[in-house]
């Protein structure tokens, strides 16, 4: 079955990832910039996790487990995506660290590669979450996994949301990874695959209220001058109704026909959009100080590069590894 609106949702979510990294409103207002880039836009990555868990549900057996063959098929694709993009970004990461005077630039690059440099942490986090979920389903029921992983998620949210621990490399590399972040939302996507249809009006209301609460939580972080966080108490209140809305809504003929293209473009935009920003860091340019212009350049680059890859992929088969 084709879920065209989920593919469209992933396409839109990829631009929210761009907003996280470019902060387009930073020159207009620090407060509104924080709400957009580190509040509203934070719905994007959990939405990707939930959709991945939902699609994984197609392989669940009658016993309620995910065969390792299916899990390995998913992880092989993620590993190939990560490896290809790592070829682009790891040398630039080393160059940037070396240019900033880091004496251990090579070892730091290796550490970043192990967890995911720049924006690429999503790929290893999803890969590990899928394998971990498949393993846990051999011993535990899905609801038990949801309770345990949810406790880890909300526990970590409380610890970092209330400033009990600093947002340091442990947070970036471990907490914002598979166990505390990826697994809860992938398991949630697997669970929602069996959720019944709900009235659209009710889902819209839930999503609106959840988004307002999330913006309030983001504003609370801004008022206390917390660094940007990925974990929010209110995040499930947004992404769950959003996912159900897109899962159950009827898509038009045009959208259905182009859903595969949108799905591939979302991956390409996610993987390629940071490249011009990294190059600008390596070769410092005034454009970095103009966030709205930087956002526009990044979006234009991501769209053109994605379109070009899809156009050339039938002739150059290696390009297919980018999506």
């Amino acid at each position: 079955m084709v879920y065209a609106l989920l593919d469209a949702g992933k396409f839109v979510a990829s631009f929210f990832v761009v907003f996280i990294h470019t902060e387009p409103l930073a020159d207009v207002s620090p407060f509104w910039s924080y709400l957009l880039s580190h509040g509203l836009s934070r719905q994007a990555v959990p939405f990707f996790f939930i959709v991945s868990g939902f699609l994984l549900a197609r392989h669940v057996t009658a016993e309620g487990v995910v065969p390792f063959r299916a899990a390995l098929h998913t992880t092989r694709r993620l590993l190939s995506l990560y490896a290809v993009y790592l070829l682009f970004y790891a040398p630039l990461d080393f160059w940037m660290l070396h240019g900033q005077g880091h004496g251990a630039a090579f070892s730091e690059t290796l550490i970043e590669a192990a967890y995911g440099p720049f924006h690429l942490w999503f790929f290893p986090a999803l890969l590990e979450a899928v394998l971990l979920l498949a393993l846990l389903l051999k011993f535990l029921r899905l609801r038990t996994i949801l309770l345990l992983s949810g406790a880890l998620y909300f526990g970590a949210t409380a610890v970092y949301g209330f400033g009990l621990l600093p947002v340091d490399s442990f947070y970036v590399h471990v907490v914002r990874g598979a166990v505390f972040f990826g697994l809860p939302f992938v398991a949630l996507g697997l669970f929602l695959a069996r959720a019944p249809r709900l009235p659209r009006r009710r889902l819209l209301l839930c999503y609106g209220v959840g988004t307002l609460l999330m913006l309030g939580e983001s504003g609370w972080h801004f008022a206390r001058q917390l660094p940007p966080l990925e974990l929010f108490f209110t995040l499930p209140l947004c992404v769950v109704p959003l996912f159900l809305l897109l899962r159950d809504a009827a898509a038009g003929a045009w959208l259905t026909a182009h859903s595969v293209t949108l799905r591939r473009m979302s991956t390409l935009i996610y993987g390629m959009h940071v490249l011009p920003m990294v190059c600008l860091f390596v070769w410092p340019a005034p454009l970095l100080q103009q966030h709205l212009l930087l956002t526009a350049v990044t979006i234009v680059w991501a769209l053109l590069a994605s379109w070009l890859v899809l156009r050339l992929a039938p002739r150059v088969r290696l390009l297919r590894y980018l999506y």
Side-chain angles (χ1 to χ4, degrees):
M1 184 173 182
V2 177
Y3 292 93
L5 282 170
L6 287 180
D7 291 328
K10 291 172 66 177
F11 178 73
V12 174
S14 65
F15 290 101
F16 280 99
V17 174
V18 174
F19 296 158
I20 292 173
H21 295 140
T22 61
E23 301 188 18
L25 299 182
D27 301 324
V28 178
S29 165
F31 175 70
W32 292 109
S33 176
Y34 196 95
L35 289 191
L36 173 64
S37 298
H38 306 300
L40 182 66
S41 297
R42 293 293 179 184
Q43 299 178 33
V45 175
F47 179 75
F48 288 137
F49 279 128
I50 287 180
V51 173
S52 298
F54 171 72
L55 296 176
L56 191 65
R58 296 176 297 181
H59 304 289
V60 173
T61 66
E63 292 76 24
V65 301
V66 176
F68 270 108
R69 180 180 298 178
L72 289 174
H73 174 76
T74 300
T75 55
R76 278 198 300 267
R77 179 179 178 276
L78 289 167
L79 188 60
S80 65
L81 278 171
Y82 181 55
V84 170
Y85 281 111
L86 197 61
L87 290 176
F88 285 105
Y89 291 106
L92 290 172
D93 190 16
F94 170 77
W95 197 352
M96 184 169 60
L97 291 170
H98 183 73
Q100 293 173 346
H102 289 249
F106 182 73
S107 60
E108 289 183 37
T109 302
L110 290 179
I111 293 172
E112 289 294 315
Y115 294 100
F118 307 115
H119 62 306
L120 296 183
W121 63 270
F122 170 77
F123 291 132
L126 178 57
L127 185 156
E128 294 162 14
V130 168
L131 288 177
L132 184 57
L133 180 59
L135 177 63
L136 290 174
L137 283 170
K138 299 286 186 183
F139 308 100
L140 300 172
R141 297 178 61 184
L142 179 58
R143 291 192 178 185
T144 304
I145 296 172
L146 271 175
L147 287 173
L148 293 175
S149 61
L152 289 175
Y153 174 82
F154 287 113
T157 302
V159 166
Y160 289 94
F162 288 102
L164 302 180
L165 285 177
V167 181
D168 53 11
S169 60
F170 180 78
Y171 174 86
V172 171
H173 290 150
V174 178
V175 177
R176 191 189 63 171
V179 177
F180 293 90
F181 194 31
L183 178 63
F185 286 106
V186 173
L188 189 55
L190 195 66
F191 178 79
L192 291 174
R194 296 179 292 180
R197 294 176 66 96
L198 296 175
R200 185 184 180 196
R201 184 177 300 179
R202 186 181 301 176
L203 290 173
L204 284 170
L205 178 62
C206 290
Y207 177 68
V209 171
T211 299
L212 288 175
L213 290 173
M214 187 180 177
L215 290 174
E217 187 176 354
S218 178
W220 179 57
H221 290 170
F222 178 82
R224 296 182 303 127
Q225 298 184 337
L226 278 182
L229 296 171
E230 281 82 7
L231 282 67
F232 289 81
F233 291 110
T234 51
L235 195 50
L237 300 178
C238 307
V239 292
V240 170
L242 175 62
F243 168 79
L244 293 175
L245 276 168
L246 296 177
R247 183 199 67 174
D248 298 335
W254 184 92
L255 191 58
T256 301
H258 292 83
S259 61
V260 174
T261 300
L262 292 176
R263 184 192 318 152
R264 291 171 175 173
M265 286 195 73
S266 68
T267 302
L268 288 165
I269 291 169
Y270 186 92
M272 299 176 70
H273 77 272
V274 171
L275 188 58
M277 288 185 284
V278 175
C279 292
L280 289 171
F281 273 110
V282 175
W283 297 286
L287 182 61
L288 283 174
Q289 310 303 322
Q290 303 174 36
H291 289 263
L292 194 57
L293 182 57
L294 176 62
T295 302
V297 169
T298 302
I299 290 175
V300 170
W301 151 260
L303 287 172
L304 288 177
S306 302
W307 173 82
L308 187 61
V309 167
L310 293 178
R311 284 294 300 270
L312 295 177
R315 304 175 191 174
V316 186
R317 296 181 62 87
L318 288 176
L319 292 177
R320 298 179 185 181
Y321 288 100
L322 291 171
Y323 57 82

